[in-house]
Amino acid sequence: MAMNEPGVTSPPDAWQKRLGRCFGRAGLIMSALLSLGVALCYTWRLDAWAAVTVFPIWVWWLAGVLLVAAARRQVPRRYSLTVTLIWCLVLYTFSDHPLNLLRFKSGDGVRTLRIVSLNCAGNVRAALEVADLRPDIVLVQESPGREPLLTLARECFGDEGYVLSGVDASIVARGEVERLPLPDSVTSNAVCARIRLADGHELNVVSMRLETPSVRVDLWSPDCWHEQTATRRRQRKQLETIAKIAIDSSGSVPSILGGDFNAPPGDAIFRVLTPLHDAFGEAGRGWGNTILNSTPWLRIDQIWISPQLRAVDVYSRKTEHSDHRMVVCVLRVGRTQ
């Protein structure tokens, strides 16, 4: 049997190397195109693209980087490094306030109002965890029932506590509380109240839980895209209806809308909340994700506030008896210029 001369590649080996280079180049091109497509989806966040944007950006970053890693040995290093840097830019641009990871507790010692929002998953013990934080207003979703909330009101506020319970969401607060009626289409999603604080300030406060989208990864299925698009549109309609009641068009009464939005930060549905802003974007610190409690990968529990309110500290806190982390938001009433 004839032996190959030294330094000469046998035909099978040469074919395998050419095939490997072809797959490597294809993988790198796929990764680059994916980065472009993802950037466009997260920039415009059209309803038709909700099947993509329902995921946090790091999911797509991981997919893109894995494609680069698989192709790394088959393509010039400068190409793989360029695509990796593009993905890092996409990750930073569309991440949920990444600089908040570097923010420490606010040094502002003034505490005017402490809001706590928690999806209790129907667990009585989860609701009672809130009492240790000595809140002024508690926004509850997947409420455990009126009696446990009355217990929470007594623990937090004594005889000054008030419970406004709904089908799924509830409010527990100190002060004078007046229910604001909502249309029948959203009474199972939210409760809304006008709250007069002890210092005379009035607030419109909402506790809500929007429709839950399906968790689907079968992006090759047209049904997946149609379902996510329909869910996004229903969520927007729910939020629009709630916002019309809760947001005072005259601007004389500040609003606080909080709860389980079942939508990722930056989602297009939040555009209907103008002129409110996300309190975590103003004063959030640390890893603000709230779901799942043990391994939080998405911040679907949020608190939105009017321009008249200033957030001085916002963070998520791990719970013991819920699948969500709670959101703690410290506000100052009356924005200082």
Side-chain angles (χ1 to χ4, degrees):
M1 180 180 295
M3 301 295 291
N4 291 329
E5 295 181 8
V8 177
T9 304
S10 64
D13 288 344
W15 179 81
Q16 290 175 359
K17 286 185 176 181
R18 284 196 297 271
L19 186 62
R21 285 195 294 269
C22 287
F23 276 113
R25 290 168 183 167
L28 195 65
I29 292 172
M30 287 175 59
S31 182
L33 291 176
L34 181 63
S35 69
L36 176 61
V38 166
L40 290 175
C41 288
Y42 280 80
T43 298
W44 290 331
R45 294 185 186 263
L46 301 181
D47 290 344
W49 299 343
V52 173
T53 58
V54 72
F55 294 101
I57 189 64
W58 61 261
V59 170
W60 300 111
W61 173 85
L62 182 61
V65 169
L66 287 176
L67 282 172
V68 174
R72 182 176 58 86
R73 295 185 178 180
Q74 306 297 335
V75 297
R77 183 179 179 183
R78 64 182 181 275
Y79 295 149
S80 60
L81 182 59
T82 298
V83 177
T84 300
L85 290 175
I86 291 172
W87 271 113
C88 290
L89 178 62
V90 169
L91 177 66
Y92 177 80
T93 301
F94 299 106
S95 289
D96 179 26
H97 302 291
L99 295 182
N100 284 6
L101 292 170
L102 305 178
R103 181 181 287 161
F104 296 97
K105 186 174 182 179
S106 171
D108 192 333
V110 177
R111 183 180 76 82
T112 302
L113 201 65
R114 185 187 295 270
I115 315 293
V116 178
S117 178
L118 174 61
N119 183 317
C120 296
N123 193 313
V124 174
R125 291 180 295 176
L128 296 179
E129 288 183 55
V130 174
D132 293 338
L133 291 167
R134 302 181 65 82
D136 297 295
I137 299 174
V138 183
L139 311 179
V140 181
Q141 303 86 47
E142 292 196 66
S143 299
R146 183 172 177 80
E147 287 303 319
L149 295 181
L150 289 172
T151 301
L152 174 62
R154 285 192 293 270
E155 289 194 17
C156 292
F157 313 123
D159 295 335
E160 298 178 343
Y162 187 94
V163 172
L164 181 63
S165 58
V167 176
D168 186 81
S170 301
I171 296 173
V172 181
R174 174 193 288 117
E176 299 178 22
V177 180
E178 174 190 355
R179 182 187 291 268
L180 297 181
L182 291 169
D184 292 342
S185 60
V186 293
T187 52
S188 61
N189 300 103
V191 292
C192 183
R194 174 74 57 85
I195 299 179
R196 181 186 292 273
L197 305 176
D199 60 4
H201 280 99
E202 290 189 341
L203 302 168
N204 286 347
V205 179
V206 175
S207 175
M208 72 176 72
R209 177 171 174 263
L210 301 183
E211 178 180 341
T212 305
S214 300
V215 179
R216 298 186 60 165
V217 296
D218 55 333
L219 299 183
W220 59 86
S221 169
D223 181 64
C224 172
W225 293 77
H226 294 157
E227 180 179 344
Q228 296 290 8
T229 298
T231 300
R232 160 78 72 75
R233 289 171 177 167
R234 289 193 295 270
Q235 286 181 326
R236 180 186 290 107
K237 184 62 176 178
Q238 291 167 0
L239 195 54
E240 276 181 337
T241 302
I242 295 167
K244 286 179 181 178
I245 302 299
I247 300 177
D248 181 17
S249 58
S250 69
S252 60
V253 180
S255 300
I256 299 172
L257 277 70
D260 181 358
F261 288 86
N262 274 314
D267 196 271
I269 68 168
F270 294 110
R271 295 169 188 168
V272 307
L273 294 182
T274 304
L276 274 58
H277 61 279
D278 181 3
F280 188 79
E282 181 175 39
R285 61 180 169 93
W287 191 257
N289 295 349
T290 58
I291 186 76
L292 296 162
N293 181 49
S294 56
T295 52
W297 59 278
L298 194 60
R299 187 171 65 90
I300 63 175
D301 300 272
Q302 304 174 29
I303 294 176
W304 285 66
I305 59 177
S306 291
Q308 303 97 311
L309 304 173
R310 179 190 173 199
V312 296
D313 193 21
V314 186
Y315 60 95
S316 66
R317 174 171 167 166
K318 190 174 183 180
T319 59
E320 296 294 331
H321 304 291
S322 175
D323 58 346
H324 287 240
R325 295 193 174 193
M326 66 179 73
V327 181
V328 183
C329 177
V330 181
L331 301 177
R332 175 183 290 174
V333 179
R335 178 180 288 276
T336 56
Q337 300 298 329

